[in-house]
Amino acid sequence: MYRAIQAAVAVAVVEEAARGIQQAMDAWDAVNDSFCDDSGAIVDTEGWGARIVERDLAAYQHFTQILTYGAAFLFHIRPATEAPAQADLLKHGRSELFGAYVSAHATIRDNSHLQRSLSREETAAEVWHEMTVWASHTPTMIRAYRRAASVRALATHPTARRATAGPPTAAPSPRPASSTPTTPPSRRLP
């Protein structure tokens, strides 16, 4: 029971965090072109730079949850990503997430060991790639995890299979045969 709760929490937290990172990326994409001319060259470097910092900080705020819950998430999704169907794609996605998780922790750890006091903005910029990896691969991993959990639940609880199948379809009831012809009801006249 504890494992199921731990898995549910890790999946929910990481899902929300990945969604938040994706929203930060989408917000940036919506304004990115406004800082450039028609050829794509940046014309407002100050505004562009300020928005990049905003984007990184917004994404990093969510990524801190992945730094906390990512190991549990990766542990719990592993069985689902090793299922034969789409195994290569899912293993690759899990491997990408694992690599980004380790890389982000290493970057943060190395900076603290080197006595470098990076600002939150600098840290966010340094782990930007890792944040984008989590935003892009997490939804697929969660779908695989939930699909596998659903299959497991149906296999262990046969009554759940009947409940999800819906009620049985009712056959039309036969009308009793009548020997008397049916006549329309008589109309009463006043």
Side-chain angles (χ1 to χ4, degrees), residues 33-104:
D33 290 341
S34 66
F35 298 105
C36 303
D37 62 16
D38 292 339
S39 68
I42 300 169
V43 293
D44 179 3
T45 55
E46 189 173 309
W48 188 85
R51 282 294 292 192
I52 287 284
V53 170
E54 278 181 41
R55 175 202 68 183
D56 293 355
L57 283 173
Y60 189 69
Q61 175 184 349
H62 297 285
F63 191 62
T64 58
Q65 294 299 307
I66 291 173
L67 292 170
T68 302
Y69 289 90
F73 175 82
L74 291 167
F75 173 78
H76 290 293
I77 67 163
R78 184 176 185 159
T81 61
E82 291 178 340
Q86 298 180 342
D88 290 340
L89 174 67
L90 296 174
K91 283 181 185 177
H92 171 73
R94 191 184 75 234
S95 175
E96 289 288 311
L97 291 177
F98 179 76
Y101 180 79
V102 170
S103 175

